[in-house]
Structures are given as C-alpha cells and as structure tokens.
Amino acid sequence: MTVVADTKVGEVRLELSDISVNFGGVKALQNVSLQARAGQVTGLIGPNGAGKSTLLAVASGIQRPNSGTVRLEDQDVTGARPQVYAHARMARTFQAPQLVPDLDVRQHLVLALRSNDHKPGSALKSAFGKRITTDEFEKTEQLLAELGLAEVAANGASELPLGTRRLVEVAQCLACDSRTLLLDEPTAGLSRAETAVFSDLVVRVCHDRNIAVVIVEHDIDLVLDISSRVFVLDFGQLIDEGDPGHIRSSKKVQAAYLGTMEADLDV
Ligand SMILES: Nc1ncnc2c1ncn2[C@@H]1O[C@H](COP(=O)(O)OP(=O)(O)O)[C@@H](O)[C@H]1O
Ligand SMILES: [Mg+2]
C-alpha cells in the first residue's frame, strides 16, 4: 500500500471558496464554499438540480467558475486546464464507468499506471504496445488484492457487473496515486450488497491511503454513515454543513427535501 507520508490526516486538500456558476440565466451555484480533508470522506447532498454535479465539475477543472477560487494541494488552480488538476493528484469517477470493453481488469490498472496525466483511461492507445513489466505486475497485484478484484483480474470489463466496474474505476484512480477523489453518485444502480461492498471499500482506502474523498450521493443514509462532514446544496446555494449528527437534525435540510422525494433522512 502506498501510504502518502507527506500529508497529515485532516489537512485541507481541496478548498472551494465562494464558487458561482451561471448557465445562461440559471444560477447553478451561488457563492458555495466547501473543504475536503485528507483521510476523511466529505459528503455532498441536495435534491436533484441542486448543483452537486456542477460543483464536482468545478472541483475537477471541467467547469470554470464565473467567480470564486479552487485550491488543490494548497495551490490556486482556478481556471487551469483539467490536466493541471490531474497533476495535483485529483481524480474523479463518472456515473457511467469509463472502461474499455476489450481490456481486462489488470490491463485497466496498467493503463492507469502508464497514464502520465493522472486521468484513468487516457494513456489508451500507446499503452498496449508494451508488455506488462514485473514492476507493473506487482503494483497491479497489490491493487487487485486491496480492492478485492484478484478473482476478476483476467475478466473483460464488459463482462463485469456494474458494482465491480465501479471498483475498477476506483482502482484506476489509486493506480494514478490520486490523493483527492471525487465520486459522483457511485452507488447509483448498485444492489444493496454491492453498495455495502463499495462504501466499505471507499472508507477503507480513504483512511489507509489518507485520501480526501468527496462523495455525491442520492442515498443520504449512506452519506451520513460514512462522511466526517456533509455539505448540503439546494437551488445552487449551500444551505447547511456539519457533521452527520447535525445534518440529521437540521430543519433546513429536512425542508429542502420535503416534496422532492420521500425524505431518506433517518431522523
Ligand atoms: N451544461 C449545463 N447547461 C445548462 N444548465 C445546466 C448545465 N449543467 C447543469 N445545469 C443546470 O444547473 C443546475 C444544477 O445542475 P446539477 O449540477 O446537474 O445538479 P445536481 O447534480 O445536484 O442534480 C440545474 O438547474 C441544471 O439544469
Ligand atoms: Mg448530478
């Protein structure tokens, strides 16, 4: 396991300050601030259309904010190209896993190891001219074991159930040595058992590797179970933040969810 020794648990890795994003007349985000800390899971919740995915897009350099700043690893990266974010060891997963159907699980991890811009899948074409080296084999062995993927190492990505494909994506982020990991609705479409495996694993790698994890989830109970701190968006604004106990009893949060869905809040 690659424990990153040069950062302390609890230090701020990602700091979004006063972020605003407008899409034409739509104020998708208004003055939103969020911090994500090393070795902690940070939850981001809010009803549909609240701005969660837009905030992750800003945090990963895909969406440039109209105002506000993004600091990553104590560096101002506002407006920089996504590659700069990747070099600052930021990675994100997408709701639909971005895997290559013809490659097996180990090959996906080798791809990630060989990518030099820390974006899973980006080394694509060049990667398979070369044989897998002993060093690469050992690194992938270790990752496969860590994520419980050893048994499917030789299976093609397209044969795998969705829950396993999501784990492969996380394994790719770890192969890139990512230290800040953004997960947008990673348990959408997973069975209860797959969700349990996935969330246990996220918590474990977050702690073992001192990674700052930001998770956007529809499943509020899951977020409240695994997060140290939770941020709540509604109509593009941060309406509350705090530890799970605070969020569970927040009247503002309950009001935001009323009428949008049967509130999953277990209060
Ligand atoms: N590319 C875009 N162009 C125009 N409007 C957008 C775009 N992306 C998001 N929006 C709007 O911004 C708001 C926030 O969307 P989003 O961040 O996807 O919310 P969430 O992830 O919380 O469901 C919504 O009103 C959505 O319709
Ligand atoms: Mg979304």
Side-chain angles (χ1 to χ4, degrees), residues 147-170:
L147 300 204
L149 292 169
E151 280 181 18
V152 294
N155 291 41
S158 55
E159 307 162 21
L160 300 171
L162 183 61
T164 312
R165 280 185 274 148
R166 292 248 164 86
L167 292 178
V168 174
E169 271 214 314
V170 172

Side-chain angles (χ1 to χ4, degrees), residues 52-53 184-185:
K52 305 179 297 296
S53 293
D184 197 354
E185 304 208 16

